[in-house]
Amino acid sequence: MKETNSAPKSRKLIAYANGPSLEEINGTVEVPKGKGFWRTLLAYSGPGALVAVGYMDPGNWSTSITGGQNFGYLLISIILISSLIAMLLQNMAAKLGIVSRMDLAQAIRARTSKSLGIVLWIMTELAIMATDIAEVIGAAIALYLLFGIPLVIDVFITVFDVLLLLLLTRIGFRKIEAIVVTLIMVILLVFVYQVALSRPDWLSVIKGLVPSAGAIASHPVVNGMSPLNGALGIIGATVMPHNLYLHSAISQTRKINHDDEDEVATAVRFSQWDSNIQLSVAFVVNSLLLIMGVAVFKSGAVKDPSFFGLYQALSDSSVLSNGILIAVAKSGALSALFAVALLASGQNSTITGTLTGQVIMEGFIHMKMPLWARRLVTRLISVIPVLVCVWMTRNLSAVDEHEALNTLMNNSQVFLAFALPFSMLPLLMMTDSAAEMGSRFKNSLWVKICGWISVLGLTFLNMLNLPDSYAGFLGAHASASEITTAHVLAYISIGLIVLLLGWCVTDLYRGNKKLLAAGMGRDQLLAAGKSADTMINAERAKETAEDKHTEA
């Protein structure tokens, strides 16, 4: 499995880009032909791991652990359903990238106006930055817990992970995949060890996997959270828009002959195997987090759900559930391993977040930056709200400071609710279309039905949670009038999202008809021995000429 990289490297800090997705690594990983299942799967394994990172980042931790603390194993069924939906959507994203040879951002931009492309780019950038805030908080807290470095300094240290990324860009994409898999295994093994010590009630865990009405009930309310709130938090932290863009790009790193439909089908099949296996690992990690909340701690014993509170609880014998845990906790091993896993999670997300940022920048606005520069800009913007939060709470008690950081992390995820429909809906529309994907690769009937149920359901649930998300920005002591104002603003936002979705769908429909009118369908193109993206070559060339003329 050789890696090749013959793409020209631009020396400009900001350059024009309208070529293959992530051109430096596109088609650089050789895959074996005619080999056995396991050897072929190994060659295609890797992109799924980078995608799975987004499903086990620091933003998922508190929702799963707190859900377990408050409602036992009830919400593990929500983790299962969210993971199955994630598998469905990620498989579509990988298929779109391999079959069309465009990532999701490029495919949307090729069919929509430049103005809508800019709007969608800004929205997705905000979602990435919101995710980055959770990574900054997670990594900074991990450094504080492990080494006792003051939080303000820790926040600045997280900026220097750009040096890690600079190193990674020089060692090859296959090695980046290996590093990510290693960090995932660190996280998995830490939680397997801690849960194994806790001796959970596995029969109750299995029963919790069966969906029930109680998982989405508005009562009982425990520590200010209802099962519905907990379920929405888990869903919101699980399915993230940037993963769809990322997967559609990195699925193209394997070198295949796109004129051979059977070879394309093989790539699609093994990419989906890779994705499903890695997302199953993510499901296990999130389930272990919830089981930790139930089995590791005594019910209701952890009052501080922040990373600080969980770290302290893992060394506090009075809140742990059995003698074995207490004995290990006295050595400090439980809390130290938790902090190590938290740091690994943050670093993993750093790699994938930067790649996604480059994908959407190139796809939506045809602008390209070196990965280290891209990371530096995003991280410097993301640390601002974290530094402001740390500075504003510097004279408060440690508990108040911890609560403020936890609230900032949870509330930052509100932007994901805005951006998610604008990645899911176009993805579903394009992979449902025979003209886009060909009769062989378009979504089957059952995938189409499950896809629409998932997309509409997730969009509805995200919008349903938006009023409470807005109110969350006000803190725990907001007045009734402030909460009412927040809800009104949330409903206005929902109206704007619906209007913007209408604009997006209309543009996609018109743009698709325009491109198809200029060429043949995908099956005819393949029969004629042409590449699957011939339909948009003329449109790309025209746009490139216009942009270069504008620059001149």
Side-chain angles (χ1 to χ4, degrees), residues 41 75 118 160 235 323 369 387 401 426 439-440 458 485 509:
L41 177 60
L75 298 183
I118 292 172
F160 291 100
I235 291 169
M369 299 173 66
L387 286 173
E401 182 183 53
S439 57
R440 182 171 181 175
L458 282 175
T485 302
Y509 179 75

Side-chain angles (χ1 to χ4, degrees), residues 481-530:
S481 61
E482 288 175 330
I483 293 175
T484 300
T485 302
H487 286 179
V488 169
L489 290 174
Y491 292 128
I492 292 173
S493 299
I494 291 171
L496 292 174
I497 290 173
V498 171
L499 290 174
L500 191 55
L501 271 176
W503 180 17
C504 184
V505 170
T506 302
D507 253 25
L508 284 169
Y509 179 75
R510 290 175 178 171
N512 196 49
K513 289 192 70 174
K514 180 181 175 182
L515 289 171
L516 291 177
M520 298 179 288
R522 186 179 184 278
D523 289 335
Q524 289 82 2
L525 288 169
L526 288 171
K530 299 176 182 178

